[in-house]
Amino acid sequence: YLAKEGRTGVELYQPDKDRNSPERLTLLGDLRRAIDGGELRLHYQPEVGLDSGAVRGVEALLRWRHPVHGMIPPSEFVPLAEQSYLMRQLTAYVIEEALAQAASWWHGGLRVPVSVNISARDLLDSALPEQLEVGLARYGLPPAAIQLEVTERILTGDQAYTQETIKALATLGVPLSLDDFGTGYSSLIRLQRLAVSEVKIDASFVRRIAESEDDDRIVRSIVDLVRSLGLRSVAEGVESDDVAMRLAEMGCDVGQGWLFGEPMPAAEITAWLRERAGAPEYGYQPEV
Ligand code: C2E
Ligand code: MG
Ligand code: MG
Ligand code: MG
């Protein structure tokens, strides 16, 4: 099992699939130490306006450099944490790091909202809105400096508790984004009843719009619906000029993907943002 990780090109470690295997339990112990031990870092990927080319925000994506196994992707360790008591601690760490980074940008004149992924289970934690409120105040940040991304799974499970946390977040003014849209079980209609301000269309549809008319139609109808609800549409996994132009033509608001920029370490994305902060907005056009 090999995968590319940014520019490092290291081999990825995949723990045993068995839930209670010794490998997984060891890895969970490693993760607990990694949170305090400085092995976890956030990388940041730009989100770009498809009409203007302007940076609309960045998404914080967690990276774990394990001392023995090398880079372990979040798709391996986040689900592991989700099944354990560690998720709360992991989310608290990510929020703290993202707030610190957002504050450094914000107070340095770069007003770029930072999106943080949380687990659907985190919305069962009634302490989350207060943690955010206290953190925002401590860093002197407005609530719009941060956004939470959560998958459609919030629509399943214990909705009463979840709704309460969602309501508290709305009162606080922290926007909510519905991640990986299209992969879950929610019908488009249910979107209406969710207090989200943004819908991220899953990369699996976006990537194929240039080749498949079915996928083109699906993405087009999601974009239309999202707009009709007054929400912002974001396309994930934009890898080519062709796809970006089609999305712009559909009226999709924002694009995210390797075409615009990979997830980058803090220093690198800061330079990337500074370089673009002074540049005129140009509207999405391929380089010829
Ligand atoms: P996501 O939130 O949907 O994040 C988008 C994923 O797409 C990221 O994978 C990103 O690196 C990848 N990506 C970006 N551009 C492209 C592209 O052009 N093509 C393709 N094929 N992929 C692209 P990553 O970083 O491996 O993260 C995977 C998932 O792990 C995330 O999906 C999110 O659900 C979860 N995750 C990452 N960081 C965190 C975190 O701090 N907390 C929680 N709870 N989950 C996280
Ligand atoms: Mg996300
Ligand atoms: Mg996603
Ligand atoms: Mg995803």
Side-chain angles (χ1 to χ4, degrees), residues 59 61 117 149 179-180 200 236:
E59 178 175 8
L61 294 159
N117 292 283
E149 293 191 8
D179 206 349
D180 303 342
K200 298 188 90 165
E236 308 193 270

Side-chain angles (χ1 to χ4, degrees), residues 42 45 59-63 73-75 78 82 87 90-91 94 116-119 122 149 151 179-180 202-203 207 236-239 256-259 261 263:
L42 287 178
Q45 186 176 33
E59 178 175 8
L61 294 159
L62 202 51
R63 299 292 178 257
S75 56
V78 170
E82 272 175 345
M87 195 62 219
L90 192 67
T91 297
V94 169
V116 173
N117 292 283
I118 63 166
S119 158
D122 289 323
E149 293 191 8
T151 67
D179 206 349
D180 303 342
D202 195 70
R207 232 176 292 133
E236 308 193 270
V238 181
E239 296 177 4
Q256 177 181 359
W258 298 333
L259 177 68

Side-chain angles (χ1 to χ4, degrees), residues 27 30-31 34 39-40 62-66 70-72 77:
L27 200 63
D30 289 356
L31 182 58
E39 290 168 30
L40 296 175
L62 202 51
R63 299 292 178 257
W64 181 11
R65 190 181 288 279
H66 189 283
M71 277 295 186
I72 303 180
F77 67 86

Side-chain angles (χ1 to χ4, degrees), residues 20-186:
N20 296 313
S21 72
E23 286 81 2
R24 286 177 73 103
L25 295 176
T26 305
L27 200 63
L28 207 52
D30 289 356
L31 182 58
R32 184 164 45 80
R33 280 186 298 272
I35 297 174
D36 297 322
E39 290 168 30
L40 296 175
R41 285 275 181 288
L42 287 178
H43 283 196
Y44 299 88
Q45 186 176 33
E47 299 176 324
V48 172
L50 289 164
D51 59 339
S52 66
V55 178
R56 293 282 177 240
V58 297
E59 178 175 8
L61 294 159
L62 202 51
R63 299 292 178 257
W64 181 11
R65 190 181 288 279
H66 189 283
V68 176
H69 304 301
M71 277 295 186
I72 303 180
S75 56
E76 294 300 332
F77 67 86
V78 170
L80 196 66
E82 272 175 345
Q83 293 161 7
S84 78
Y85 58 94
L86 265 188
M87 195 62 219
R88 191 183 264 219
Q89 216 178 313
L90 192 67
T91 297
Y93 170 84
V94 169
I95 288 175
E96 176 59 29
E97 286 291 303
L99 283 172
Q101 185 58 64
S104 141
W105 284 330
W106 209 268
H107 300 308
L110 276 177
R111 305 212 152 173
V112 52
V114 179
S115 286
V116 173
N117 292 283
I118 63 166
S119 158
R121 258 186 58 191
D122 289 323
L123 287 176
L124 293 174
D125 180 4
S126 57
L128 181 74
E130 204 197 326
Q131 185 202 341
L132 279 163
E133 188 173 15
V134 169
L136 287 164
R138 183 158 32 87
Y139 284 109
L141 288 169
I146 200 140
Q147 172 169 266
L148 299 179
E149 293 191 8
V150 68
T151 67
E152 286 175 289
R153 271 181 300 154
I154 56 169
L155 294 168
T156 62
D158 208 334
Q159 287 199 45
Y161 287 108
T162 300
Q163 282 308 324
E164 212 140 284
T165 309
I166 291 176
K167 232 183 274 166
L169 289 171
T171 305
L172 179 60
V174 171
L176 201 59
S177 169
L178 196 60
D179 206 349
D180 303 342
F181 190 80
T183 55
Y185 310 95
S186 61

